């Protein structure tokens, strides 16, 4: 893993010559570059190639012209509405996750035992994954689950609660798995901001709210945009919970279900690839839009010193 | 005031900083709201997990706070019914292979990315970043298509390859900043004192990289156990991992007793949580999610 | 918050921290200090002596564990930093990286609700004062370290604070820039006449800038005095060591009369000035290298014979390490060049040999 052969290539170095490992040793080929080759090849073979293959395949439909799959998608009322359905789930879920996580993470910007406990606890739903969350919600939110019993016992709500097998079930599951993700990500951005900046602002007369508005928020903006994108991409590709917790035939028939059905129930890989490409395209549109907003904000380092 | 010295000192007297009388009250209410939200979230998630746990030990549970009776027999049932022994073995095979291979591919690449500048480095970084920005379902479907074409679909090899796609870049993105913060002068020093490449590697780099490699390995391990979509799209009946088997169990919930499904969910959870607890001893929880380093500190 | 004041009074200011294994320790114990209007105070001490803790307590960035801070009649130690209105210059500048120089400097005014039309001219004035006119629109990242430090100073003074706090403002600058910025700070203080509390570990900075120096060690004040007092009359051995008394020798006491002490041991016989009451058979004598001079050979009072063991050439003079036949080492600064191994005689002026009681171990 060390630059193999580099020492053989290098002449005995004079005293005082810069010895940093990043220094260019000699004009010519640097053997250390070989170390990235396996990773790059692997990604080309298993990520880029299938993607390109899928793109090409999507233009070679089982029948019809090159655009037949796309035409079919936008005219079929089983396929076209899935984009709207997915956005209707992913957008609110992402907004809730990011904008509830932001004030909580800001609150916990200073290290404390509370923060350690919180972060450790919040990691649990992330690692358990969406499938287990779905099973937990089916049991807990079900018509005879604890939540329903508690609400009735406390006389808060007497009707039957319906939080599974519909839109709300999927939305809640997206919050349960997405909120901790957004929180931990934002927390790591916030703790990356040198607290001395806030202290400097406070000596200049900024109270907690002004510190947030003038110091933290502008410095966080790029991180928030990134967090929004990652959280959105997660929510947009919702699959297991839409099947298990939602109504996959109707209100929560999201785009990934459509793609899965095309590939593994109709065995139409061409159509499936077309849907996957459209899915990627919509995601990229939203991501590109959010990241372009970032251009308005400061993007440099967030330390207080000379960096 | 000292008069007539500098121009700045003679400008008009400043107003006192504005004070907000309601400040204390609103900030307390705001605090309460935030803590309320956290507690509500954690309590409900905790109860959700507890509900699964309780149900997995229930003889029968039709309404009421607790089941009518208790039994551990669902675990034995689930073990037999879902063929958990073979599923667990497949899971171990997949996860260990993914961890080892992703380290083997990722650590050397991270070393070069951290230590060298070369043309095309940004494009390469983008290549490693993309699989983490594109959700698994999007590239999983074309990938599954290709794997089935090459007869790797449905095999253990196919599942391992698919899981490596997010794992290897993840190792690279965790290890690159870790290697960057190791002073390159330490390697240079080892060379100046006469160590060759191999000895530099064994005596200097490995001990320094050790903690980073351990952290990366644990993070990949925890993430791979829970990674559903890619395995789901590429696995055949003999190459299912635990999380996919759990999905099928929940999906076909009508067929089997819910307690049996919950028992399986508990087994899955135990497997994940054990590794999570081990991982949390060595890594910061934020590392599980913050794979994209937007702000290198220097 | 007041615009100017007569006295800032610190009484019994104490700050405790939870230490390792739950042992709380005092980072700052019972600091009593009165800062008068326009005064320049330096808090001086090695790292960990509590000087930054003291500054942060005054700024309001750290809560006190005990004691009070008063600005004239107003108690301020319970106010948050944003309501104390002091200007502060941080060690790493703490400039807001996303704001232009003008926005950084104008931030405090904006927080005070000053209308934008008045902010601009005052920012310009402040930048002129620190000789950064014309740099308004740059981001901090585009400035050199010295320029960044001057922006930080402008940001602190533009709000016309009654008190300016500076936390090792020069420690990140290289040697040349440090000297220049030091003069700059001195000039700005003279022009504005604002009371300033300046934290440093560099005695030269403290001596050259301050009206009064507070020497600290382990959270406890060792001496408060003018630069002349602290330099020439260190209150105890800690202060002496810190102020450059490099020769600290333990010797048996032979006699003592009218504050004059005679110490002798084998080949060394010294008389010096007693600074603190002595106890025990031995005492410590502290002497600066530059106050020892070369002497003609011969056995006179306070003349010590020795051999040059090591020479550090320093241009105008050399720093010699001299070993007496008994093995006592002396650091001596003397003009000219020397060769190792030469035999020399040195003279210690008795009024500059300060005698302190033996240290308790």
């Amino acid at each position: 893993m060390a630059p193999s052969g580099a020492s053989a290539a290098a002449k005995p170095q004079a005293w005082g010559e810069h010895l940093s490992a990043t220094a260019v040793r000699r004009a010519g080929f640097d053997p250390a570059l070989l170390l990235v080759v396996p990773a790059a090849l692997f990604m080309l073979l298993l990520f880029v190639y299938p993607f390109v293959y899928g793109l090409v395949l999507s233009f070679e439909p089982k029948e019809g012209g090159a655009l037949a799959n796309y035409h079919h998608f936008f005219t079929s009322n089983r396929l076209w509405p899935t984009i709207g359905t997915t956005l209707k789930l992913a957008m609110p879920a992402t907004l809730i996750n990011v904008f509830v996580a932001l004030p909580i993470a800001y609150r916990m910007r200073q290290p404390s035992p509370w923060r350690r406990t919180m972060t450790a606890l919040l990691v649990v739903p992330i690692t358990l994954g969406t499938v287990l969350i779905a099973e937990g919600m089916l049991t807990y939110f079900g018509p005879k689950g604890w939540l329903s019993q508690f609400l009735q016992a406390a006389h808060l709500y007497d009707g039957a609660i319906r939080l599974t097998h519909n839109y709300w079930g999927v939305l809640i599951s997206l919050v349960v798995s997405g909120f901790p993700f957004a929180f931990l990500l934002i927390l790591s951005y916030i703790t990356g901001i040198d607290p001395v900046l806030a202290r400097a602002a406070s000596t200049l007369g900024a109270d907690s709210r002004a510190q947030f508005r003038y110091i933290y928020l502008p410095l966080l903006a790029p991180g928030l945009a990134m967090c929004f994108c990652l959280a959105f991409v997660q929510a947009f590709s919702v699959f297991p919970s839409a099947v298990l917790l939602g109504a996959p035939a109707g209100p929560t028939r999201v785009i990934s279900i459509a793609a899965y059905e095309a590939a593994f129930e109709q065995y139409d890989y061409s159509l499936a690839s077309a849907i996957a490409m459209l899915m990627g395209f919509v995601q990229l549109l939203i991501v590109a839009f959010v990241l372009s907003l970032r251009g308005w904000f400061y993007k440099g380092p967030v330390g207080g010193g000379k960096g | 005031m000292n008069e007539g010295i500098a121009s700045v000192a003679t400008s008009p007297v400043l107003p006192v900083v504005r004070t907000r009388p309601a400040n204390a009250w609103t900030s307390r209410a705001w605090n309460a709201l935030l803590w309320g939200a956290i507690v509500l979230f954690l309590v409900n998630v905790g109860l959700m997990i507890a509900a699964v746990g309780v149900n997995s030990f229930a003889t029968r549970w039709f309404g009421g706070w607790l089941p009518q009776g208790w039994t551990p027999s669902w675990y034995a049932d689930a073990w037999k019914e879902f063929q958990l022994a073979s599923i667990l073995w497949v899971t171990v095979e997949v996860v260990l292979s993914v961890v080892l291979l992703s380290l083997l591919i990722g650590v050397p690449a991270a070393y070069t990315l951290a230590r060298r500048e070369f043309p095309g480095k940004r494009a390469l970084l983008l290549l490693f970043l993309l699989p983490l920005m594109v959700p698994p379902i999007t590239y999983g479907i074309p990938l599954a298509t290709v794997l089935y074409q090459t007869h790797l679909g449905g095999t253990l090899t196919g599942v391992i390859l698919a899981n490596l796609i997010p794992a290897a870049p993840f190792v690279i993105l965790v290890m690159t900043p870790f290697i960057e913060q190791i002073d390159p002068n330490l390697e240079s020093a080892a060379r100046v004192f006469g160590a060759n490449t191999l000895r530099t590697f064994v005596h200097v780099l490995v001990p320094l990289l050790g903690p980073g490699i351990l952290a990366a390995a644990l993070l990949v391990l925890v993430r791979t156990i829970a990674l559903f979509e890619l395995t789901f799209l590429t696995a055949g009946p003999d190459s299912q991992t635990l999380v996919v088997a759990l999905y099928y169990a929940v999906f076909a919930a009508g067929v089997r007793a819910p307690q049996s499904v919950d028992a399986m969910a508990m087994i899955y959870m135990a497997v994940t949580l054990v590794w999570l607890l081990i991982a949390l001893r060595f890594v910061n929880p934020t590392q599980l999610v913050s794979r994209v380093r937007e702000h290198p500190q220097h | 918050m007041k615009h100017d004041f007569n006295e800032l009074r610190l009484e019994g200011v104490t700050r405790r921290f939870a230490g390792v294994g739950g042992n709380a320790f005092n980072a700052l114990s019972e600091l009593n200090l009165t800062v008068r209007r326009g005064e320049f105070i330096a808090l001086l001490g090695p790292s960990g002596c509590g000087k930054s803790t003291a500054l942060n307590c005054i700024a309001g960035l750290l809560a006190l564990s005990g004691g009070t801070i008063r600005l004239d009649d107003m108690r301020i130690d319970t106010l948050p930093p944003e309501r104390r209105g002091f200007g502060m210059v941080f060690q790493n500048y703490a400039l807001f990286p996303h704001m232009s120089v003008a926005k950084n400097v104008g931030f405090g005014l904006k927080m005070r609700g000053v209308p934008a039309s008045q902010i601009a001219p005052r920012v310009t004035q402040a930048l002129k004062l620190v000789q950064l006119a014309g740099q308004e629109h740059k981001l901090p990242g585009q400035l050199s370290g010295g320029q960044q430090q001057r922006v930080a100073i402008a940001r602190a003074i533009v709000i016309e604070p009654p008190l300016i706090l500076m936390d090792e403002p020069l420690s990140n600058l290289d040697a040349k820039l440090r000297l220049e910025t030091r003069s700059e700070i001195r000039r700005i203080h003279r022009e504005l006449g604002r009371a300033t509390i300046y934290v440093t570990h560099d005695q030269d900075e403290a001596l050259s800038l301050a009206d009064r120096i507070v020497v600290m060690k382990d959270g406890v004040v060792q001496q408060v005095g003018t630069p002349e007092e602290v330099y020439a009359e260190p209150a105890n051995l800690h202060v002496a060591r810190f102020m450059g008394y490099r020769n600290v020798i333990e010797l048996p006491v032979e006699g003592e009369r009218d504050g004059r002490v005679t110490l002798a041991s084998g080949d060394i016989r010294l008389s010096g000035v007693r600074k603190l009451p002595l106890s025990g058979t031995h005492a410590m004598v502290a002497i600066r290298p530059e106050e020892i001079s070369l002497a003609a050979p011969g056995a006179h009072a306070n003349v010590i014979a020795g051999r040059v063991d090591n020479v550090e050439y320093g241009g105008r003079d050399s720093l010699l390490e001299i070993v007496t036949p008994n093995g006592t080492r002396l650091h001596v600064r003397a003009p000219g060049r020397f060769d190792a191994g030469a035999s020399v005689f040195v003279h210690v002026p008795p009024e500059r040999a300060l005698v302190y009681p033996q240290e308790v171990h």
Side-chain angles (χ1 to χ4, degrees):
Chain A
M1 244 155 282
S4 53
S7 62
K11 283 183 289 189
Q13 279 158 310
W15 284 106
E17 190 173 336
H18 187 50
L19 280 174
S20 151
T22 53
V24 179
R25 279 154 214 277
R26 222 173 186 210
F29 184 72
D30 180 356
L33 294 184
L34 289 176
L35 295 174
V36 288
V37 170
L41 272 184
F42 179 82
M43 294 313 297
L44 286 174
L45 207 65
L46 281 151
F47 182 72
V48 177
Y49 171 68
F51 226 109
V52 175
Y53 179 84
L55 187 65
V56 173
L57 190 65
S58 74
F59 291 107
E60 294 170 354
K62 277 182 166 173
E63 49 200 48
L67 289 173
N69 281 326
Y70 294 96
H71 184 258
H72 176 58
F73 183 91
F74 286 108
T75 50
S76 158
N77 57 6
R78 295 262 310 143
L79 294 178
W80 157 240
T82 55
I83 291 185
T85 306
T86 316
L87 283 176
K88 232 161 68 185
L89 276 168
M91 269 297 168
T94 309
L95 288 171
I96 293 172
N97 290 339
V98 173
F99 290 99
V100 174
L102 175 62
I104 295 180
Y106 179 65
R107 191 71 230 162
M108 296 194 177
R109 64 192 180 279
Q110 267 130 21
S112 69
W114 279 110
R115 189 171 90 184
R116 286 177 56 92
T117 321
M118 266 288 294
T119 49
L121 281 178
L122 280 174
V123 155
V124 172
I126 298 180
T127 43
L128 288 183
T130 42
V131 180
L132 191 106
I133 289 170
E135 173 60 9
M137 282 178 60
L138 286 173
T139 312
Y140 176 65
F141 288 130
K144 284 171 185 162
W146 278 340
L147 184 73
S148 151
Q149 286 186 48
F150 171 78
L151 290 179
Q152 278 166 18
H155 297 291
L156 290 168
Y157 182 76
D158 280 338
I161 58 158
R162 298 192 187 281
L163 290 177
T164 52
H165 299 299
N166 59 14
Y167 173 84
W168 296 106
V170 182
L171 185 68
I172 292 173
S173 85
L174 286 178
V175 171
V176 170
S177 56
F179 167 75
F181 175 84
F183 172 81
L184 291 178
L185 194 56
I186 293 176
L187 187 66
S188 79
Y189 283 125
I190 286 187
T191 49
I193 294 176
D194 192 343
V196 80
L197 296 179
R199 289 155 56 113
S202 78
T203 63
L204 292 167
D207 61 13
S208 170
R209 221 179 299 182
Q211 287 167 34
F212 178 74
R213 186 171 152 204
Y214 295 107
I215 310 298
Y216 277 100
L217 196 56
L219 290 174
L220 265 182
L224 276 182
M226 183 54 81
C227 176
F228 186 94
C229 289
L230 291 174
F232 175 80
V233 161
Q234 268 196 349
F236 192 78
S237 70
V238 52
F239 181 76
S241 51
V243 175
L244 301 175
L245 275 167
T252 69
R253 188 179 145 82
V254 291
I255 190 163
S256 47
I257 295 182
Y260 174 76
E261 283 178 3
F264 295 97
E265 288 176 12
Q266 298 154 22
Y267 296 103
D268 187 345
Y269 292 119
S270 175
L271 177 62
S273 298
I275 300 176
M277 293 301 132
L278 282 170
M279 191 175 160
F281 181 71
V282 174
Q283 280 164 17
L284 279 182
L285 269 189
I286 306 248
V287 167
F289 172 72
V290 173
L291 291 184
S292 74
L293 291 181
R294 230 169 47 138
W296 296 356
F297 297 105
Y298 167 80
K299 279 188 296 247
V302 289
K306 46 183 176 176
Chain B
M1 249 183 88
N2 292 288
E3 299 288 323
I5 320 161
S7 48
V8 170
T10 52
S11 46
V13 170
L14 285 170
V16 166
V17 172
R18 289 162 293 174
T19 58
R20 293 188 181 81
N23 220 344
W25 190 85
T26 45
S27 90
R28 216 170 293 161
W30 179 238
N31 263 351
L33 190 71
L34 293 182
W35 280 108
I38 295 172
V39 168
L40 191 73
F41 182 87
L42 287 177
V43 162
N44 276 297
V45 170
L47 284 174
M48 221 169 71
I49 293 169
V52 174
V54 168
N55 198 30
S56 72
F57 285 106
T59 51
R60 283 163 5 126
W61 191 7
F62 298 122
W65 292 108
L66 288 172
Q68 277 72 14
W70 303 93
T71 172
S73 67
W74 295 111
Y75 284 84
D77 277 17
W79 190 268
K80 274 209 302 278
E81 228 178 316
F82 297 109
Q83 295 172 309
L84 279 185
S86 76
I87 288 174
L88 273 174
W89 177 239
V90 170
T91 308
V92 169
E93 278 182 307
V94 169
V95 170
L96 284 187
S97 315
V98 168
V99 169
L100 285 178
L101 289 172
S102 64
L103 290 178
L104 215 56
I105 299 174
V107 175
Y111 179 84
T112 302
L113 288 173
R115 286 282 192 258
R116 296 286 194 276
E117 292 299 328
F118 52 90
K121 184 175 171 180
R122 288 179 67 90
L124 209 56
L125 278 173
L126 186 69
L127 178 68
F128 294 137
L129 205 64
L130 264 182
L132 300 172
M133 305 281 287
V134 179
I137 286 267
T138 316
Y139 63 85
I141 285 181
L143 174 73
T145 314
V146 169
L147 286 179
Y148 277 105
Q149 299 251 306
T150 52
H151 305 292
L152 284 170
T155 67
L156 199 62
T157 317
V159 172
I160 292 169
L161 287 177
N163 277 289
L164 272 174
I165 294 176
F170 189 80
V171 169
I172 294 175
L173 291 183
V174 170
M175 289 303 291
T176 305
F178 186 86
I179 295 172
E180 272 170 355
Q181 52 96 33
I182 295 175
D183 189 349
N185 285 329
L186 291 174
E187 286 162 52
S188 307
R191 286 177 179 281
V192 170
F193 291 119
N196 62 19
T197 302
L198 183 69
R199 292 170 108 193
T200 307
F201 178 69
V202 172
H203 295 296
V204 181
L205 267 182
V206 166
L208 288 173
L209 289 183
I213 293 179
L214 178 71
L218 284 167
L219 291 169
V220 166
L221 191 141
V222 170
R223 288 165 59 92
T224 307
I225 293 178
L227 188 67
F228 167 74
E229 284 90 347
L230 288 172
T231 316
F232 176 69
L233 292 175
T234 55
D238 300 330
S239 49
Q240 281 179 19
T241 60
L242 199 50
V243 66
V244 175
L246 178 63
Y247 171 84
Y248 282 122
V250 180
F251 185 69
V255 184
R256 300 202 166 82
Q259 294 95 319
S260 173
V261 176
D262 279 342
M264 179 166 177
M266 289 308 284
I267 294 171
Y268 165 77
M269 195 157 73
V271 170
T272 316
L273 283 183
V274 164
W275 286 106
L276 177 64
L277 289 179
I278 294 173
L280 285 180
R281 289 190 61 84
F282 297 99
V283 300
N284 181 335
T286 53
Q287 274 183 292
L288 265 161
V289 300
S290 60
R291 52 221 172 173
V292 187
R293 282 197 33 129
E294 269 282 289
H295 302 295
Q297 286 299 295
H298 291 282
Chain C
M1 194 174 70
K2 299 173 69 164
H3 196 51
D4 208 343
F5 64 96
N6 289 318
E7 263 186 7
L8 174 82
R9 214 160 51 247
L10 284 76
E11 278 168 6
V13 172
T14 300
R15 173 67 202 200
R16 244 185 313 281
F17 282 112
V20 210
N23 306 327
F25 69 97
N26 281 354
L28 180 65
S29 329
E30 297 287 328
L31 171 62
N32 296 306
L33 179 69
T34 302
V35 181
R36 289 180 286 271
R37 177 212 293 243
E39 200 175 19
F40 199 119
I41 300 271
L43 301 183
L44 175 66
S47 62
C49 73
K51 56 193 193 297
S52 285
T53 305
L55 198 74
N56 285 330
C57 285
I58 298 170
L61 296 169
L62 269 180
L64 306 191
S65 309
T68 57
I69 304 176
R70 276 172 217 277
L71 202 56
D72 292 337
D73 306 324
M74 187 173 62
R75 190 167 163 185
I76 61 160
D77 53 85
T78 50
L79 290 180
E82 63 265 23
R83 296 190 48 202
R84 296 191 191 188
F86 300 155
M88 184 152 174
V89 179
F90 290 81
Q91 186 172 7
N92 295 318
Y93 325 138
L95 296 180
F96 307 131
H98 57 299
M99 295 183 194
S100 66
V101 167
K103 286 248 169 65
N104 261 287
V105 176
F107 187 81
L109 298 173
K110 186 170 170 180
M111 289 301 113
R112 282 160 176 73
V114 178
S117 59
Q118 290 175 35
I119 291 181
R122 292 174 61 179
V123 166
T124 312
Q125 277 179 337
L127 285 176
K128 211 192 283 168
L129 190 71
V130 297
Q131 303 182 335
L132 274 180
Q135 311 275 357
E136 281 87 347
H137 300 295
K138 287 196 178 160
L139 284 176
Q142 297 168 301
L143 301 178
S144 70
Q147 289 174 319
Q148 291 190 27
Q149 189 53 282
R150 281 182 283 162
V151 175
I153 293 170
R155 185 174 69 174
I157 58 179
V158 75
I159 56 175
E160 296 174 29
L163 178 67
I164 300 171
L165 307 170
M166 296 195 179
D167 190 2
E168 308 223 16
L170 305 184
S171 60
N172 279 347
L173 303 179
D174 60 44
K176 183 169 166 287
L177 212 50
R178 199 176 304 160
L179 285 182
E180 284 171 22
T181 316
R182 193 165 90 184
S183 323
E184 196 83 331
I185 289 175
R186 184 75 200 151
R187 178 179 64 79
I188 292 169
H189 176 253
R190 227 181 26 245
E191 286 185 27
L192 297 185
R194 298 281 159 172
T196 303
I197 300 180
Y198 183 103
V199 161
T200 181
H201 62 265
D202 181 326
Q203 70 269 30
D204 289 338
E205 268 175 39
L207 290 172
S208 61
L209 287 170
D211 299 322
R212 277 196 299 157
I213 297 176
V214 179
V215 188
M216 300 179 67
K217 179 178 178 286
D218 297 337
V220 180
V221 172
Q222 307 289 315
Q223 185 173 11
V224 181
T226 63
E228 295 78 12
E229 283 165 2
V230 176
Y231 183 85
E233 313 281 327
N236 60 36
L237 214 47
H238 296 306
V239 180
R241 280 208 181 92
F242 201 73
M243 294 310 299
Y245 287 72
R246 256 184 104 178
N247 300 300
V248 177
I249 310 162
E250 184 171 349
L251 289 171
V253 180
E254 203 181 63
E256 184 184 346
R257 196 158 60 93
D258 300 338
R260 282 286 175 130
V261 187
T262 314
L263 308 118
S265 144
D267 48 5
I268 298 180
R269 197 182 161 78
L270 278 177
S271 82
V273 192
R274 191 196 67 193
K275 304 308 286 183
L276 286 173
L278 302 181
S279 60
T281 55
H282 286 60
M284 313 292 280
V285 56
I287 314 151
R288 285 178 175 284
E290 56 270 34
E291 281 165 348
I292 303 179
S293 52
L294 294 179
H300 308 291
N302 276 25
V303 169
I304 303 167
R307 183 177 52 79
V308 176
D309 191 45
N310 194 17
V311 184
E312 284 173 43
Y313 178 62
R316 217 156 50 94
D317 52 17
S318 301
L319 186 64
L320 311 179
E321 204 171 323
I322 292 171
V323 186
T324 69
N326 277 11
T328 307
R329 282 179 182 270
L330 278 176
H331 298 274
V332 177
R333 198 175 279 286
R337 282 217 73 143
F338 294 86
D339 293 318
S343 290
V344 287
F345 290 85
V346 293
H347 174 248
V348 178
E351 68 283 0
R352 297 305 307 142
L354 311 183
V355 183
Y356 297 92
Q358 207 181 354
E359 281 173 320
V360 256
H361 293 291

